[in-house]
Amino acid sequence: MKSDLINTDPLIALKQFTDARIAIGRVGDSIPIKESLEFKLAHAHARDAVYSVLDFELLNKRLAEFNLPILSLHSKAFSRHNYLKRPDYGRQLNDKSINELKDYNNESDITIIIADGLSATAINENASELLSALIPMLISANFTIGPLCLVEQGRVAIGDEVGYYLKAKYSIVLIGERPGLSAADSLGAYLTYCPKPGLTDESRNCVSNIRLQGLNYKLAAEKIFYLVTESFKLKLSGIVIKDNNGLINQ
Amino acid sequence: MYQYTVRHKVYKFQDLKTLLAKASPYRSGDVLAGICAETYEERVAAQIALANLPLKNFLNEDIIPYDDDEITRLIIDNHDKTSFSLISSFTVGELRDWLLMNTTDNHSITAIETALTPEMVAAVSKLMRNQDLIAVAQKIEVVTKFRNTIGLKGHFSTRLQPNHPTDDNKGIMASIIDGLLYGSGDAVIGINPATDSPTIAYNLLQLIDNLRLQFDIPIQSCILSHITTTLQLINNGAPVDLCFQSIGGTEKTNSSFGINLNILNEAYDATLSLKRGNVGNNVMYFETGQGSALSANAHHLVDQQTCETRAYAIARKYKPLLVNSVVGFIGPEYLYDGKQIIRAALEDHFCGKMLGLPMGVDICYTNHAEADQDDMDNLLTLLGVAGCNFIMGIPGSDDIMLNYQSTSFHDALYLRKVLGLRPAPEFENWLIKQGITDKLGNLIPINSSNKLLSGLLG
């Protein structure tokens, strides 16, 4: 009965070659219930991740180990719906946050921004672990690090404003990437030398897919550290920074 | 200056592009651009003013200046004044009514194809309900050929899209075999490569070409690299069937893609010169999508649907095999939810067909859009009724390289079944010969001695 109902078997051998949803069989011409629900579950995870929020209690507790001041900031986007419709708002700080940064008088080499992006889940699950690997490397190389800035409803370019107001030479933005069906908790790191409002993507470097089952924390931290040191050497960031030590694009 | 008065309130629209933007059905991208109607009443006032506008006016007012934009020049310089005489007395509203008349058929619409500018077509679409967009598009037959025949009435094709995050040969081939065994791939086997490496693209082209020759499959392949990479591949002797490029509706948008009409001319000539098609020589594959101009900050305050339709002026110059609106890929800041994606897809399909293009649609969404498979099922069914030439076929709807959801091999089978549609005739014969489907188009259960399957596994 079952093999009549779902014609899969000979194709299953193809599955070893790809993670694509091949060899899922059919009922009539339609997708069998098992696969149909697995797909729905993956989409549910992705949707939930888009609407997830930063867990401040957890993040404050875990980030405390670095003995750095922690600032809580907010973009101009006042809600998730507003954030999704107005990418320009997500790239700018609201007035209260700007005032808070203007009052802050401590220049540093590097400022680290932790923003929810399209998956706060990615931040809640990966940010502190990544920083545990990265911050000691930066400190031992004698970089000074400014406050850790948690940003709600933030996009990548919000790091330009934060870095600018904090007079930082370099910004590292850790942000939740757009969830896919295969991963809803992927963290991206966007690195910008001399951050200031108005920069675009070509002036940044990016390390992507940082998560437990993706690019692991240690390797991600090494990549970021390499890009940071190259940027300070060349006094710029972006596509001009080349993969000289074989670490990038692995 | 255009205007319309509703209950003593005078709505003024300072120029044609403002009128078009205000008349456009609501979508997030036009709000983001700050050009959307501010009230429901203003939108309808704009639509009424637009309906009253003679088509002639479109020839006297460029929405992007002629001197500033090569797409405007292309549109104006290629306008067919002779056939325009057939409709020169129409207003936009009268054009809409004429299109819906029972006496207006495929022949009468194609007769005015070159009389229409993209802006006229965009304008008329703004006055039409979804039903109208479907009813008129369904009248139009656009047939193109390379190694098979796509777009015939009663037929419906798929682009097999076997993407893989690392362009792994076996991973891609596994998805191709899976798709072929579901009867997918008659529009093209088209891979979005993970990188723009010419070496990898060459290798993938070779891979598909070997498969095609080994099993004598009447299909074409395409690696969706940048057009300059494809040109380089052609010069290096790669087996390039189709030349791909993303295009937009303004010169500035295309600059942001690293292309212009000269590059397209060069690539078109180079691909034609290979003469690899045996049924016909439509060799171009274009992709478009509402919002690309705004995203490149190259929209000149023209609404996103009109920008999109202007891209079709470029496409039709090169007699493409396939034009694909990748409608839901761009994200919710341009098309927020299922309703907006569905409307935009029907507009793109209608406008493309009106301009004589072999329109397909990537029925798709990203995970941050307010949409799901149910919305895609609705759109799939509507486009099937509208006579869409092709859709994507992706294993289980899930593109593991581009990270978005489109239509599955199963979705295409569903549509063929509920609407009685069949694959491209040459491909259908091949499916029967291979024992993949029977003569009625039903899939035959696959066993492990299947030649395609044992070829990869053995």
Side-chain angles (χ1 to χ4, degrees), chain B residues 86-113:
Chain B
L86 298 169
I87 52 170
S88 59
S89 66
F90 282 173
T91 61
V92 180
E94 285 165 347
L95 175 62
R96 180 265 184 196
D97 286 349
W98 178 79
L99 288 169
L100 285 161
M101 285 170 63
N102 288 331
T103 47
T104 302
D105 59 9
N106 181 45
H107 180 74
S108 28
I109 297 173
T110 48
I112 60 157
E113 194 181 288

Side-chain angles (χ1 to χ4, degrees), chain A residues 10-11 13-14 17 20-23 25-26 29 31 39 43 46-47 51 81 84-87 178-181, chain B residues 32 170-171 178 181-182 333 336 365 367-370 373 395-396 398 400 403 405 410 417 443 446 453 456-457:
Chain A
L11 289 169
L14 293 177
F17 301 118
R21 291 171 196 260
I22 59 168
R26 58 187 174 87
D29 288 341
I31 292 175
F39 180 98
H43 186 239
R47 294 295 292 156
Y51 287 94
H81 287 282
L84 291 172
K85 285 181 177 166
R86 295 300 301 257
R178 195 181 84 198
L181 291 195
Chain B
L32 182 62
K170 283 204 158 181
D178 195 64
L181 293 175
Y182 278 97
E333 60 267 43
Y336 189 67
Y365 63 103
N367 287 321
H368 58 323
E370 294 289 322
Q373 293 303 116
D398 175 11
I400 57 169
N403 274 320
Q405 286 88 255
H410 300 70
K417 183 184 279 177
L443 284 180
I446 300 298
L453 200 54
L456 182 69
L457 295 171

Side-chain angles (χ1 to χ4, degrees), chain B residues 39 52 55 86-87 105 127 129 140 168 188 201 302 358-359 367 378 398 413:
Chain B
T39 61
N52 294 334
L55 290 180
L86 298 169
I87 52 170
D105 59 9
L127 307 182
R129 285 171 45 191
I140 307 171
D168 179 73
V188 63
V302 174
M359 290 306 291
N367 287 321
N378 292 348
D398 175 11
L413 293 174

Side-chain angles (χ1 to χ4, degrees), chain A residues 22-125:
Chain A
I22 59 168
I24 57 180
R26 58 187 174 87
V27 280
D29 288 341
S30 301
I31 292 175
I33 188 63
K34 180 169 173 287
E35 168 61 26
S36 180
L37 290 173
E38 273 174 18
F39 180 98
K40 254 190 179 170
L41 186 60
H43 186 239
H45 289 150
R47 294 295 292 156
D48 286 341
V50 170
Y51 287 94
S52 61
V53 294
L54 292 177
D55 185 342
F56 283 97
E57 200 185 336
L58 177 89
L59 288 168
N60 279 313
K61 202 167 88 189
R62 289 200 184 152
L63 297 176
E65 67 166 290
F66 306 116
N67 289 317
L68 293 165
I70 300 173
L71 305 180
S72 290
L73 307 172
H74 202 293
S75 80
K76 277 205 172 108
F78 51 81
S79 69
R80 184 83 322 198
H81 287 282
N82 186 239
Y83 173 88
L84 291 172
K85 285 181 177 166
R86 295 300 301 257
D88 50 334
Y89 290 174
R91 297 184 195 115
Q92 303 166 55
L93 291 164
N94 67 12
D95 293 344
K96 183 167 168 284
S97 299
I98 291 175
N99 289 332
E100 195 169 339
L101 291 182
K102 277 181 175 166
D103 293 344
Y104 202 89
N105 269 326
N106 245 338
E107 290 182 30
S108 60
D109 294 326
I110 297 172
T111 187
I112 296 173
I113 295 104
I114 301 165
D116 45 10
L118 282 166
S119 170
T121 306
I123 295 298
N124 296 337
E125 291 181 3

Side-chain angles (χ1 to χ4, degrees), chain B residues 96-249:
Chain B
R96 180 265 184 196
D97 286 349
W98 178 79
L99 288 169
L100 285 161
M101 285 170 63
N102 288 331
T103 47
T104 302
D105 59 9
N106 181 45
H107 180 74
S108 28
I109 297 173
T110 48
I112 60 157
E113 194 181 288
T114 51
L116 295 167
T117 65
E119 289 84 354
M120 294 175 195
V121 176
V124 77
S125 79
K126 293 176 196 299
L127 307 182
M128 295 167 79
R129 285 171 45 191
N130 286 2
Q131 180 189 115
D132 304 341
L133 297 172
I134 294 168
V136 177
Q138 194 266 343
K139 297 182 183 191
I140 307 171
E141 184 180 48
V142 181
V143 178
T144 55
K145 298 173 184 180
F146 191 75
R147 287 198 192 95
N148 56 25
T149 309
I150 300 164
L152 291 167
K153 279 271 171 226
H155 295 259
F156 162 77
S157 300
T158 53
R159 164 189 165 191
L160 205 173
Q161 183 171 315
N163 295 343
H164 188 277
T166 60
D167 291 330
D168 179 73
N169 274 4
K170 283 204 158 181
I172 284 174
M173 192 51 84
S175 290
I176 293 176
I177 302 295
D178 195 64
L180 288 172
L181 293 175
Y182 278 97
S184 182
D186 48 344
V188 63
I189 296 182
I191 303 171
N192 299 89
T195 71
D196 209 44
S197 150
T199 318
I200 288 174
Y202 198 125
N203 166 26
L204 292 173
L205 284 168
Q206 200 70 64
L207 186 77
I208 307 177
D209 212 44
N210 291 344
L211 178 78
R212 174 181 74 82
L213 293 168
Q214 186 186 346
F215 292 96
D216 197 21
I217 320 175
I219 47 160
Q220 38 281 335
S221 70
C222 186
I223 309 301
L224 284 72
S225 306
H226 192 267
I227 199 163
T228 52
T229 305
T230 305
L231 253 176
Q232 194 184 329
L233 288 168
I234 291 172
N235 292 333
N236 292 342
V240 173
D241 289 344
L242 306 182
C243 178
F244 166 82
Q245 183 55 44
S246 292
I247 52 172

